[in-house]
Every structure is written in C-alpha cells, then in structure tokens.
C-alpha cells in the first residue's frame, strides 16, 4: 500500500524513512540509483517531475516533496501524531520545515558537492558527455546550477556564504531549544525529523563550525536525543540493496 522510491544516503529520503519508522508503518522499498541517473529515467520523471528522490506511492496516489510527504503520512495515519495540536505551534513547525528546505538544504547541497568530491566524476566528462548529462536534467534551475558548478567550480567565498546561512538557522534552533526538548515543545514533531538528516550531513562533511556543540549546547543536547531515537537508527541503517 505504501511504496517509497528513495535512495539510501539521500537526506530527503531519510526524512520519510524516519517518519515511517516513528509511526510504525509498513512500506515497500524501491531503491533509486542516483549515481546511474535512474532518477532522470523517463518512467521515474513521470512520477516525480523534478527528477529527485523521494517519491511516495500510496495505493496509486503519487506524492513528492519530502516535507509534504511526511505531513501527508502524519495526517493519513493519525494514531501516532507527529504534529503539535495547537494551530500556532503547527504553523511554527511548518515554518521550520520551510526554512530547512529553502535555506539549509540548498546551502548544504553546495557544500556537499565540494566536500564529497562530486566534482571528480564530472571532471572526467568530455564536452559531449557534459552536454548530454546537462540535457538529461529535467529542471532548468538544476541544469544551470550543475553547469555553473562543473564549468566554473565553487569558490571559497561561495562555500563560506553557504556555511554562514546554515549557521544562522542553527543559531535560531539553539535559541528555540533553550526551554524545550524538541523544536515544537515536549513532543517530537515533523520539524525535528525534517532537519535531523542534515545535521548528520554536517558531521559527515566535517563542518566543524556547524557541529561545535559547545557553541550551541541546547542544539547539541537535542542532537544527542535525536540519535537515540529508534526511528532515526532504523532510517539510517537502511543500506543499498545488494
Ligand atoms: N525538495 C525536494 C528535494 C529532493 C532532493 O533534492 N533530493 C535529492 C536527494 S536528497 C536528489 O534526488 N538529488 C538528485 C540530483 O541531485 O540530481 C524534496 O524535499 O523532496
């Protein structure tokens, strides 16, 4: 009934896997191989016109955008709720999720490109291969961004700019967590789930300024709690089939 098209290391896929585990829902896995550009295959783009993972198929209803998918799951399977009851707190939850996607995700994507040496793969491309790769991108903005990164590289100033924008959001989180266990109060919410895979990415990319928990102790304590969640462990333990 629930089929998830996802990739094992993808942050947005992890959001959905944590939510599924937290809610105790059974699901079928369809792993998408990003390295082989399976997410740009026409059959997949029909499901997800942006050509990104994850995509959820709920009995034929196709859903994209990980933050919206997890909210859909929470509304559709309400037994274990991951949203605050109060409408204003719910607005705050959505506001966090919006900031995580529009600021944090965008900027960590640029940093990961450098830190995970993704350029290496594209540097080997001949001009024809590069043109072919770019022509397969379904989203004009992504195409432009790839072309700029591959042809002109990423400057130190751009890296610093990205890190500073992430830092600002982490400061806000640290402030919000001064008197709370979770971002929206005493109960784990979709906002906590939405950001968790990205914090792990900051650690994996060894971004020392971002994971200096002495500088942001409330956030550090929150991060320890997140890593202890069985749902977090389940989502992160998913490995590539075969
Ligand atoms: N806003 C989308 C973003 C999805 C996204 O960017 N997914 C990444 C993996 S985390 C992806 O599929 N990247 C493929 C690519 O870079 O070409 C969502 O939340 O679902």
């Amino acid at each position: 009934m629930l089929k998830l098209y996802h990739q094992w290391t993808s942050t947005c896929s992890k959001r959905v896997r944590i939510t599924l585990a937290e809610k105790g829902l059974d699901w079928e896995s369809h792993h998408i191989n990003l390295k082989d550009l399976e997410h740009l295959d026409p059959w997949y783009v029909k499901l997800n016109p942006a050509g990104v993972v994850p995509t959820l198929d709920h009995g034929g209803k196709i859903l994209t955008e990980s933050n919206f998918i997890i909210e859909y799951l929470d509304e559709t399977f309400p037994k274990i709720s991951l949203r605050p009851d109060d409408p204003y707190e719910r607005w705050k939850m959505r506001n966090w999720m919006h900031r995580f996607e529009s600021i944090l995700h965008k900027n960590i994507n640029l940093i990961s490109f450098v830190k995970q040496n993704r350029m290496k793969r594209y540097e080997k491309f001949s001009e024809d291969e590069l043109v072919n790769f770019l022509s397969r991108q379904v989203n004009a903005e992504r195409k432009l961004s790839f072309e700029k990164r591959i042809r002109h590289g990423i400057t130190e100033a751009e890296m610093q700019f990205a890190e500073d924008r992430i830092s600002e959001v982490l400061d806000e989180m640290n402030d919000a967590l001064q008197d709370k266990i979770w971002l929206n109060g005493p109960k784990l919410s979709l906002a906590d789930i939405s950001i968790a895979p990205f914090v792990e990415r900051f650690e994996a990319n060894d971004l020392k300024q971002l994971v200096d928990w002495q500088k942001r102790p409330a956030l550090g304590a929150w991060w320890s709690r997140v890593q202890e969640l069985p749902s977090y462990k389940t989502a992160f333990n998913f490995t590539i089939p075969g």
Side-chain angles (χ1 to χ4, degrees):
M1 181 111 145
L2 288 170
K3 183 173 178 178
L4 183 65
Y5 297 85
H6 64 136
Q7 194 260 0
W8 68 300
T9 60
S10 135
T11 42
C12 297
S13 301
K14 285 172 184 161
R15 281 174 171 160
V16 182
R17 297 206 299 266
I18 298 173
T19 306
L20 288 163
E22 198 58 47
K23 295 179 78 66
L25 296 169
D26 289 332
W27 55 284
E28 187 189 327
S29 167
H30 186 128
H31 190 263
I32 299 290
N33 193 328
L34 296 183
K35 281 213 172 101
D36 291 347
L37 304 186
E38 203 185 341
H39 56 300
L40 301 179
D41 282 350
W43 72 267
Y44 184 71
V45 174
K46 265 196 197 146
L47 296 178
N48 187 318
V52 289
V53 287
T55 301
L56 182 74
D57 179 341
H58 179 207
K61 286 182 244 171
I62 304 299
L63 293 100
T64 61
E65 285 301 325
S66 56
N67 277 337
F68 300 155
I69 292 175
I70 62 178
E71 192 157 5
Y72 172 86
L73 286 171
D74 203 52
E75 285 185 318
T76 310
F77 303 97
K79 203 166 154 194
I80 296 169
S81 166
L82 295 168
R83 284 171 303 153
D85 298 330
D86 175 61
Y88 184 51
E89 276 301 325
R90 267 211 303 270
W91 172 83
K92 286 193 199 164
M93 178 195 83
R94 293 194 186 105
N95 194 44
W96 279 123
M97 291 162 81
H98 170 67
R99 293 175 71 66
F100 296 154
E101 191 55 21
S102 62
I103 303 176
L104 245 125
H105 187 184
K106 189 170 134 197
N107 286 296
I108 191 61
N109 185 281
L110 178 122
I111 294 174
S112 292
F113 198 82
V114 175
K115 294 277 183 181
Q116 294 174 5
N117 275 328
R118 291 192 200 154
M119 191 70 109
K120 258 195 189 151
R121 169 172 184 210
Y122 306 111
E123 275 168 358
K124 293 188 202 125
F125 280 1
S126 65
E127 180 61 21
D128 282 354
E129 281 168 335
L130 177 57
V131 170
N132 178 47
F133 169 75
L134 294 174
S135 74
R136 288 196 63 192
Q137 300 299 317
V138 287
N139 177 317
E141 214 169 303
R142 282 181 101 73
K143 183 178 171 183
L144 191 70
S145 154
F146 266 124
E147 182 157 25
K148 185 184 166 299
R149 287 178 191 184
I150 297 168
R151 288 198 190 279
H152 308 292
I154 293 168
T155 65
E156 275 300 318
E158 284 172 317
M159 289 285 278
Q160 192 56 53
F161 182 88
E163 200 167 322
D164 289 348
R165 299 294 75 72
I166 295 172
S167 254
E168 286 163 5
V169 181
L170 298 187
D171 284 341
E172 285 174 42
M173 288 175 71
N174 190 56
D175 288 348
L177 288 163
Q178 291 304 317
D179 54 357
K180 287 189 209 89
I181 301 282
W182 301 108
L183 284 171
N184 289 105
K187 211 176 78 175
L188 178 80
S189 84
L190 297 176
D192 302 290
I193 293 174
S194 177
I195 182 64
F198 293 89
V199 178
E200 192 273 341
R201 199 45 72 82
F202 305 151
E203 287 195 328
N205 283 343
D206 199 23
L207 298 169
K208 293 194 172 54
Q209 298 293 326
L210 300 184
V211 295
D212 176 355
W213 305 130
Q214 281 178 350
K215 210 168 103 193
R216 298 186 185 95
L219 186 58
W222 167 91
W223 178 229
S224 301
R225 284 191 286 278
V226 169
Q227 291 172 95
E228 285 310 311
L229 293 170
S231 58
Y232 174 90
K233 293 180 186 166
T234 304
F236 273 71
N237 284 343
F238 182 93
T239 45
I240 189 164

